């Protein structure tokens, strides 16, 4: 596998008194799927826009294969904005061919690539329709086709799974894994953390414009506090209160999620649970990515994304083509 990589090195961006990014630093390696997660307004879209050249950073640099990203480099990036970056009144097939031609493909290659990706993504029967006549899910499929039609070296996808049904999610996940297997670095943002955990090789958690945690999913989970899950359906709330070194973290239906402090005896916990009736589950587990995200990111209310963070269809459209 090539050691080529997309590097985001110390990117900072400010809008007046609002700090959008603070020394944002990470890399996405060739043949790697990188999940980029954070609350609304955390800086994910701003980072992607700077990588694509839609926005200019106040400081820092974006590099591909060791060299600064240029306009020529960006022509080889497949970008999928969160908001549709397509021409709503243009027919699907004509639009995809147009994008492919703008990226340098010959007419014949553009036609073949359009056929390949519309068939693969399940919209081959809609190539004669205007984008605005498609469902939101099919518009999302066409948007991914637009990011793939020119055979990009890098994929940058902002909320690519938004609005997709489970079958479409599986198809898109398979496509991303296949592109990754050919050496394409893939970075995508998503609020569907279970999907991020399942699909990503590494994950970066961003908060207030700064990368606060990064690593393989299991590596990040191992840094969390191990929990004890007890499913005792006949136990009343509070059955574990007073057990030495044991804290009740939360309840999930019949399950009681416990944190064990130093000196806590899990066998004493099991004995107390059995005293209430049958125990269907008794297991230690590491926190999921969702639970880790809740822990890492502040639970304070997050203000709406600043105007510069929100997608602008015209700007993104210019990059897509």
């Amino acid at each position: 596998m090539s050691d080529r990589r997309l590097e985001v090195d110390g990117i900072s961006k400010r809008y007046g008194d609002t700090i959008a990014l603070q020394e944002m630093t990470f890399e996405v390696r060739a043949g790697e799927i990188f999940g980029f997660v954070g609350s609304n307004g955390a800086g994910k879209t701003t980072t992607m826009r700077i990588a694509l050249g839609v926005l200019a950073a106040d400081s820092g640099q974006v590099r591909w294969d060791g060299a600064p990203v240029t306009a020529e480099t960006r022509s080889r990036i497949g970008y999928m904005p969160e908001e549709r970056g397509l021409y709503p009144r243009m027919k699907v097939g004509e639009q995809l061919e147009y994008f492919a031609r703008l990226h340098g493909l010959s007419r014949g290659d553009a036609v073949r690539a359009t056929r390949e990706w519309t068939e693969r993504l399940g919209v081959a029967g809609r190539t004669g329709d205007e984008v605005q006549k498609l469902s939101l899910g099919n518009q999302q499929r066409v948007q991914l086709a637009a990011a793939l039609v020119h055979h990009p070296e890098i994929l940058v996808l902002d909320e690519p799974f938004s609005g997709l049904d489970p079958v479409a999610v599986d198809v898109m996940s398979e496509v991303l894994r296949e592109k990754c297997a050919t050496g394409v670095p893939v970075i995508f943002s998503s609020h569907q953390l279970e999907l991020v955990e399942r699909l990503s090789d590494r994950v970066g958690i961003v908060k207030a414009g700064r990368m606060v945690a990064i690593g393989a999913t299991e590596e990040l989970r191992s840094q969390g506090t191990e929990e004890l899950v007890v499913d005792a359906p006949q136990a009343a709330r509070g059955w574990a209160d007073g057990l030495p070194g044991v804290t009740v973290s939360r309840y999930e239906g019949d399950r009681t999620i416990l944190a064990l402090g130093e000196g806590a005896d899990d066998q004493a916990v099991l004995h107390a649970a059995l005293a209430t009736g049958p125990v269907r589950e008794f297991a230690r587990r590491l926190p999921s990515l969702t639970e880790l995200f809740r822990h890492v990111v502040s639970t304070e209310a997050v203000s709406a994304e600043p105007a510069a963070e929100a997608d602008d269809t015209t700007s993104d459209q210019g990059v897509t083509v």
Side-chain angles (χ1 to χ4, degrees):
M1 185 69 69
S2 168
D3 61 356
R4 305 171 83 188
R5 61 194 65 197
L6 179 69
E7 299 171 272
V8 175
D9 186 5
I11 294 295
S12 294
K13 182 70 176 177
R14 178 189 291 267
Y15 301 98
D17 294 332
T18 301
I19 299 174
L21 296 177
Q22 305 178 68
E23 296 291 324
M24 176 65 69
T25 299
F26 64 96
E27 65 179 23
V28 187
R29 303 156 188 159
E32 176 180 62
I33 299 179
F34 184 87
F36 199 36
V37 301
S39 303
N40 290 334
K44 305 182 300 297
T45 295
T46 296
T47 301
M48 291 181 173
R49 286 183 165 192
I50 289 173
L52 269 293
V54 176
L55 294 174
D58 297 334
S59 61
Q61 190 177 66
V62 181
R63 295 185 295 272
W64 167 238
D65 197 19
V69 170
T70 64
E72 194 279 329
T73 309
R74 294 184 185 104
S75 71
R76 293 180 275 129
I77 298 176
Y79 177 47
M80 184 174 179
E82 181 177 7
E83 296 297 331
R84 306 299 186 273
L86 302 170
Y87 298 105
R89 295 181 180 178
M90 192 173 181
K91 292 180 180 179
V92 169
E94 293 174 356
Q95 187 159 186
L96 293 176
E97 291 173 21
Y98 172 66
F99 291 161
R101 294 294 303 279
L102 286 179
H103 279 282
L105 271 67
S106 68
R107 185 173 191 82
D109 287 342
V111 170
R112 282 188 287 274
T114 295
R115 184 184 306 117
E116 173 190 354
W117 286 112
T118 53
E119 289 177 354
R120 182 66 194 279
L121 296 173
V123 288
R126 309 303 300 271
T127 54
D129 294 339
E130 296 178 357
V131 169
Q132 64 183 357
K133 295 182 180 179
L134 303 181
S135 66
L136 292 179
N138 279 338
Q139 288 183 34
Q140 194 79 335
R141 294 178 191 226
V142 174
Q143 186 74 71
L144 180 61
L148 293 165
V149 74
H150 60 289
H151 311 300
E153 294 182 1
I154 308 164
L155 279 176
V156 178
L157 313 174
D158 200 354
E159 292 291 340
F161 297 97
S162 177
L164 295 181
D165 60 60
V167 173
V169 167
D170 289 343
V171 171
M172 190 171 289
S173 298
E174 184 179 358
V175 167
L176 297 189
R177 289 191 183 99
E178 288 179 3
K179 298 303 291 183
C180 176
T182 66
V184 173
V186 178
I187 173 173
F188 78 100
S189 68
S190 179
H191 288 99
Q192 301 176 49
L193 297 186
E194 292 183 0
L195 177 60
V196 173
E197 183 172 352
R198 184 171 75 244
L199 189 59
S200 303
D201 298 302
R202 287 191 308 133
V203 175
I205 301 176
V206 58
K207 171 187 172 184
R210 190 183 290 273
M211 187 70 75
V212 294
I214 188 169
T217 302
E218 289 306 312
E219 177 187 349
L220 292 177
R221 292 180 63 208
S222 68
Q223 297 172 11
T225 302
E226 189 178 58
E227 299 174 322
L228 182 63
V229 181
V230 183
D231 185 353
Q234 296 180 17
R237 292 286 177 98
W239 68 268
D241 294 346
L243 293 174
V246 176
T247 302
V248 177
S249 298
R250 63 191 179 280
Y251 295 97
E252 297 176 355
D254 291 334
R255 292 179 172 180
T256 304
I257 313 301
L258 304 172
L260 302 184
E262 187 175 352
D265 183 357
D266 59 0
Q267 294 306 301
V269 175
L270 177 59
H271 181 76
L274 287 169
T276 71
V279 174
R280 296 185 298 196
E281 181 181 5
F282 187 84
R284 290 178 180 266
R285 73 176 185 191
L286 292 171
S288 66
L289 183 61
T290 300
E291 293 160 343
L292 180 65
F293 178 81
R294 291 194 185 109
H295 175 73
V296 171
V297 177
S298 172
T299 56
E300 296 178 4
V302 179
S303 60
E305 297 190 15
E309 176 75 3
D311 285 298
D312 177 89
T313 302
T314 302
S315 298
D316 285 332
Q317 198 166 306
V319 175
T320 302
V321 300

